[in-house]
Amino acid sequence: MSHEKLIREHRFASEVRASTAGDSKKLSGYAAVYGVPTVIGGQFNEVLRPGCFDACLAEDPDVRALWNHSDLTVLGRTTAGTLRLRSDNKGLFYEIDLPETQAAKDLWLSVSRKDVTGSSFGFYALKENWLPAVKPGELPTREILAANVFDVSPCAFPAYEEGTSVSARSLVPEPMRAADDAGTVQRRQLATALLAEHEAWKQQQVEKEQAATDEQLRARLAFLKYS
């Protein structure tokens, strides 16, 4: 199956850490954690099953380490030997040998100061299993059984749907969507309210990040003015 027919998805994983080895600076953390249920867009639970990346890693994939999932700042790459991935009992672990660029140095300092603490990953789901909700009010569960990872990223505001090409609802299988459409008006209104709340939260994160960037620029301009 070609990647053009698959859905690009991003998920938050866990904390990123900064370290040094000699003169080189490194970032490391778990890009994905197994067995931890996560609510996606208020629509369903999602669980990464242990070993879901094993087949991908066995093929020596071309994976990039990015800052905030942006290809404008490439931090490392598996094919260059500057990014290393491994799967263990906890999840998918990554380690980056940072380049001698100003952006990488700034990021390493931000992680060291705990200004940046989040880590995220991008993947294509190759094999999944859907479990229906057991009780009223519960959500169905999507099990990821096999997936290809294409990027790992330290993130300022990691979000489960950040950067995804489709909404969470479009990931739900047709039978479950049909059942939802046959539900009551109250259930549909609740789902709409939850999605609207999630979109508002994402917009707040963008505005916070922009405000922080503006403040940094003002501080630099003031320093240059009086230096």
Side-chain angles (χ1 to χ4, degrees):
M1 184 181 294
S2 68
H3 283 175
E4 287 74 14
K5 297 180 180 179
L6 298 173
I7 297 170
R8 293 173 62 93
E9 302 181 57
H10 291 94
R11 298 289 186 268
F12 169 69
S14 59
E15 187 175 0
V16 59
R17 301 183 297 272
S19 62
T20 57
D23 295 330
S24 64
K25 291 180 171 57
K26 299 178 182 292
L27 294 180
S28 62
Y30 278 89
V33 179
Y34 299 140
V36 179
T38 301
V39 178
I40 306 299
Q43 296 290 304
F44 57 90
N45 295 309
E46 184 176 84
V47 179
L48 296 169
R49 290 307 179 195
C52 63
F53 296 108
D54 286 359
C56 172
L57 296 181
E59 297 179 353
D60 296 323
D62 185 7
V63 181
R64 292 162 177 79
L66 308 175
W67 166 223
N68 264 338
H69 295 297
S70 171
D71 56 12
L72 296 178
T73 307
V74 180
L75 304 171
R77 189 171 180 177
T78 53
T79 54
T82 52
L83 168 64
R84 291 169 294 281
L85 301 172
R86 73 169 188 267
S87 178
D88 58 25
N89 292 333
K90 181 176 180 179
L92 180 66
F93 182 83
Y94 73 91
E95 184 179 56
I96 310 167
D97 298 330
L98 292 174
E100 289 293 322
T101 62
Q102 190 59 51
K105 293 177 182 178
D106 290 346
L107 174 59
W108 185 89
L109 180 59
S110 294
V111 174
S112 299
R113 285 161 42 101
K114 302 297 183 181
D115 296 331
V116 174
T117 59
S119 182
S120 184
F121 68 102
F123 71 101
Y124 297 101
L126 302 179
K127 185 178 180 180
E128 58 190 36
N129 179 47
W130 284 89
L131 303 175
V134 177
K135 300 178 182 178
E138 290 184 347
L139 297 173
T141 297
R142 181 196 192 198
E143 297 181 306
I144 303 297
L145 306 179
N148 283 349
V149 59
F150 58 83
D151 88 70
V152 294
S153 295
C155 290
F157 295 106
Y160 290 104
E161 290 183 345
E162 188 69 24
T164 54
S165 59
V166 296
S167 67
R169 179 174 169 75
S170 67
L171 297 175
V172 181
E174 288 294 339
M176 291 186 179
R177 292 209 300 271
D180 181 68
D181 291 339
T184 64
V185 173
Q186 183 179 5
R187 288 178 58 201
R188 289 195 296 271
Q189 289 176 339
L190 177 59
T192 300
L194 288 172
L195 289 174
E197 181 179 351
H198 182 71
E199 289 299 322
W201 178 85
K202 288 199 298 183
Q203 182 60 36
Q204 289 176 358
Q205 307 316 304
V206 171
E207 292 174 354
K208 287 180 181 179
E209 186 172 6
Q210 184 60 53
T213 300
D214 292 343
E215 182 62 28
Q216 290 177 358
L217 289 175
R218 284 194 293 268
R220 290 179 182 178
L221 289 173
F223 174 79
L224 293 174
K225 181 179 179 181
Y226 294 105
S227 60

